[in-house]
Amino acid sequence: MQRLSALTFVLLAAVAHGQAGKDDDLSSAFGPPPAPKVFEPEHNVPAPPLPLDVNAELRAKFERDLAAAQKSFEGGDAAAAREQLALVELSAIMLGGPDRVRVHRLQRAAATKLKDPKGIQEADEKWLTACGPNDVPACRATALEAIAAYDGPRVEKIRAADACLTAAEQRPGKPPPACVDAALALYKKAEDSLMVARIELLRALPLASDRKQAKAAKKALARIAALIDDRSALVRRTALETLSRLELAEGAVDDATRDALLAAEAWASTLPPAQRAWARSPAVDAACAAYEKARGAGACRKLEKKLLGDYLFHDFSQEHLGDGELIGHDKLVAVNEHYGVMIQNCLAAEIRSLEDKAAVTYRVKWLVINNGQVDNFHSESTEHEQSRFVQCLREQFGFWRYPRHDGDPQRIQQSFSVKSSTRTWEETEQ
C-alpha cells in the first residue's frame, strides 16, 4: 500500500548575495568584511524535453525539399521550382497552415517570374485559405493585398466580410449582425473551413447562453469540435470549453472534463513546441474540480495522462510580483500542489526500486530565480547528489514556474522520506 502524507510548505527567501559566512575575528580587525557573494546561476535544471513530433521525418523532408525549390528559384529556374513545389505542397498539407503558406507564397513568386496569371491566381487562393491558426488577420491582409492587384472588387467584398466577422466576435454570445450571412456565403464559396467555422461558432454561442437552446447549442458546438483542420484549433478550443461548461451545468462531469482537456490540447497545438506544456486553462480547472469531487483526488491527472498522453500546467511566471515582494506561503503551496504530480512520479519510481522495508531520506534545495524558473538544484548530501531520485527531481523541476519577482532569488528546501511501503515529504525552513 502506498499513501501520501499531508504537505506543509514554509517559505525561505534566500538572497543570492546576502548570506556571507561569518568573518574571521582577525580578518574583521584588520580589514573590511569580505564582499557578499553574488548569485551565479548554474543552469543545472534542464529545460523540459520538447513534445514528440509524430511528423518529424515528414517535416525534415519538407524543409529539405522546400529549400531545394527555393534554391532553384533563386538560381533563375522558376519552372523547376514550380515543379518541385507541386510535391512539397503535399507535405505541407499534412503539416498545417503555416507551412502551406510558405509553399504558396513561393508558388506565387515562381508564377510571377514565369508571367503566368492563372498560376498567380491559384497560388493566391490557396494562400488565403491556408492562413491560421495564429495571426490570421495579418496573413489574410497580406494575401488580399496581393489579390487586389488584379481583382480589387472581390477583395473589397472579402475585406468587408472579414471586418464584419471580426466586429461580431467582439460581442460573443450576442446575435450576429445581418452582414454575417453575406460573409458566410463568400467563405463557403472559397471553401475556407476556418472562416466558416468562426461564423458557426459565432452563431452557436448565443444558443449556449439560453437554457432552452442548450440541446441545439451542444449539437452545433460538437460539430465544430469535430473539425480536423489544424487551422481551426482555436475555434475548436472555444467550442469545446463552451460545451464543457454546458455539460458541467447538466451534471455530465465525465463529458465536461474530457471536453475541457481536449480544448486545452487544441490550444497547446497552436503554441510553439517549447511552450505547449503550459497550456492548462481555467476550464480544465473547473472541470477537474468537479471530476475529482466525484472520482477522488488525483483522478483528473490520471484521466489527463490517459487522454492526452502527458500533463498540462499553468505558467505561474505570467504573474509578476511587485517591487521587493516575496513569493508568499499560499502561492508556494499552490505551485507545489500544481506540479506535485511530477514529484509523485519520481517517488513512485524510487519506491519500486527499494528493497522491502528499506527507507531513505533525501533533503534537497533549489532557488527560484527572477524569471520564476528553478535553478541551482542540489541535494544537501553529496552522497545523494547523483542518485537516480535526485536526478529525477532535477529534471522534472524544469517544468516548474513560480511568479516572477524582482530582487534576490528565493531558496526552498524540502525533505523526502521514502520507504518501500509509504512515501512522505515535508518542506521546512532553515
Side-chain angles (χ1 to χ4, degrees), residues 192-212:
D192 193 326
S193 59
L194 168 59
M195 304 304 283
V196 170
R198 287 171 64 181
I199 289 183
E200 289 180 347
L201 177 63
L202 195 65
R203 290 175 167 176
L205 293 179
L207 299 177
S209 301
D210 184 350
R211 290 185 179 180
K212 296 179 181 179

Side-chain angles (χ1 to χ4, degrees), residues 272-284:
Q275 298 176 18
R276 289 177 188 169
W278 298 277
R280 194 173 187 86
S281 67
V284 170

Side-chain angles (χ1 to χ4, degrees), residues 105-263:
R105 294 188 70 159
L106 187 53
Q107 285 176 326
R108 185 188 203 282
T112 301
K113 193 98 175 238
L114 294 169
K115 297 182 174 156
D116 178 7
K118 184 178 179 180
I120 292 173
Q121 184 175 350
E122 288 179 353
D124 286 344
E125 292 299 323
K126 291 177 181 179
W127 175 5
L128 184 64
T129 56
C131 294
N134 298 310
D135 304 320
V136 175
C139 176
R140 288 180 66 83
T142 307
L144 288 172
E145 184 177 353
I147 297 172
Y150 54 84
D151 195 350
R154 176 168 173 263
V155 166
E156 288 307 309
K157 290 181 181 180
I158 296 175
R159 284 173 175 164
D162 287 4
C164 170
L165 175 56
T166 300
E169 288 176 331
Q170 302 307 309
R171 303 170 64 247
K174 303 293 183 181
C179 61
V180 163
D181 294 335
L184 181 60
L186 279 175
Y187 299 148
K188 283 186 174 180
K189 185 176 180 179
E191 298 182 344
D192 193 326
S193 59
L194 168 59
M195 304 304 283
V196 170
R198 287 171 64 181
I199 289 183
E200 289 180 347
L201 177 63
L202 195 65
R203 290 175 167 176
L205 293 179
L207 299 177
S209 301
D210 184 350
R211 290 185 179 180
K212 296 179 181 179
Q213 298 289 338
K215 184 175 180 180
K218 288 170 62 179
K219 183 177 180 180
L221 293 167
R223 184 169 58 248
I224 298 168
L227 293 171
I228 58 174
D229 182 359
D230 69 290
R231 300 166 56 238
S232 302
L234 293 175
V235 179
R236 291 204 314 275
R237 176 195 176 183
T238 301
L240 284 162
E241 288 185 348
T242 306
L243 194 57
S244 176
R245 177 172 56 79
L246 292 175
E247 290 162 342
L248 273 182
E250 296 174 352
V253 175
D254 289 10
D255 289 341
T257 306
R258 176 182 176 277
D259 285 335
L261 288 168
L262 291 176

Side-chain angles (χ1 to χ4, degrees), residues 217-406:
K218 288 170 62 179
K219 183 177 180 180
L221 293 167
R223 184 169 58 248
I224 298 168
L227 293 171
I228 58 174
D229 182 359
D230 69 290
R231 300 166 56 238
S232 302
L234 293 175
V235 179
R236 291 204 314 275
R237 176 195 176 183
T238 301
L240 284 162
E241 288 185 348
T242 306
L243 194 57
S244 176
R245 177 172 56 79
L246 292 175
E247 290 162 342
L248 273 182
E250 296 174 352
V253 175
D254 289 10
D255 289 341
T257 306
R258 176 182 176 277
D259 285 335
L261 288 168
L262 291 176
E265 182 182 46
W267 176 29
S269 73
T270 70
L271 300 174
Q275 298 176 18
R276 289 177 188 169
W278 298 277
R280 194 173 187 86
S281 67
V284 170
D285 291 340
C288 280
Y291 189 81
E292 297 204 344
K293 185 176 181 181
R295 304 286 184 181
C300 198
R301 281 299 196 185
K302 292 179 181 178
L303 176 63
E304 180 181 347
K305 181 74 171 180
K306 180 179 179 181
L307 186 63
L308 307 183
D310 215 333
Y311 303 111
L312 294 174
F313 301 102
H314 289 302
D315 183 358
F316 291 97
S317 69
Q318 296 297 314
E319 177 183 351
H320 192 174
L321 302 181
D323 186 26
E325 185 179 355
L326 298 177
I327 305 172
H329 170 87
D330 291 345
K331 181 62 71 173
L332 287 172
V333 172
V335 173
N336 189 83
E337 291 180 347
H338 184 66
Y339 292 99
V341 65
M342 306 293 287
I343 289 180
Q344 292 176 25
N345 290 341
C346 294
L347 286 165
E350 182 68 6
I351 289 169
R352 288 193 297 268
S353 71
L354 293 177
E355 297 180 359
D356 187 36
K357 297 183 181 180
V360 61
T361 297
Y362 297 93
R363 187 174 178 85
V364 295
K365 58 185 178 181
W366 64 91
L367 294 182
V368 179
I369 57 179
N370 295 142
N371 64 5
Q373 297 183 28
V374 173
D375 197 2
N376 298 39
F377 182 94
H378 293 288
S379 168
E380 290 198 347
S381 166
T382 55
E383 177 186 355
H384 294 154
E385 178 70 10
Q386 300 302 323
S387 68
R388 177 174 50 196
F389 178 66
V390 170
Q391 185 59 32
C392 179
L393 291 179
R394 181 179 289 112
E395 290 174 356
Q396 61 87 25
F397 267 105
F399 289 92
W400 289 44
R401 297 290 184 270
Y402 291 87
R404 287 176 294 132
H405 62 282
D406 298 320

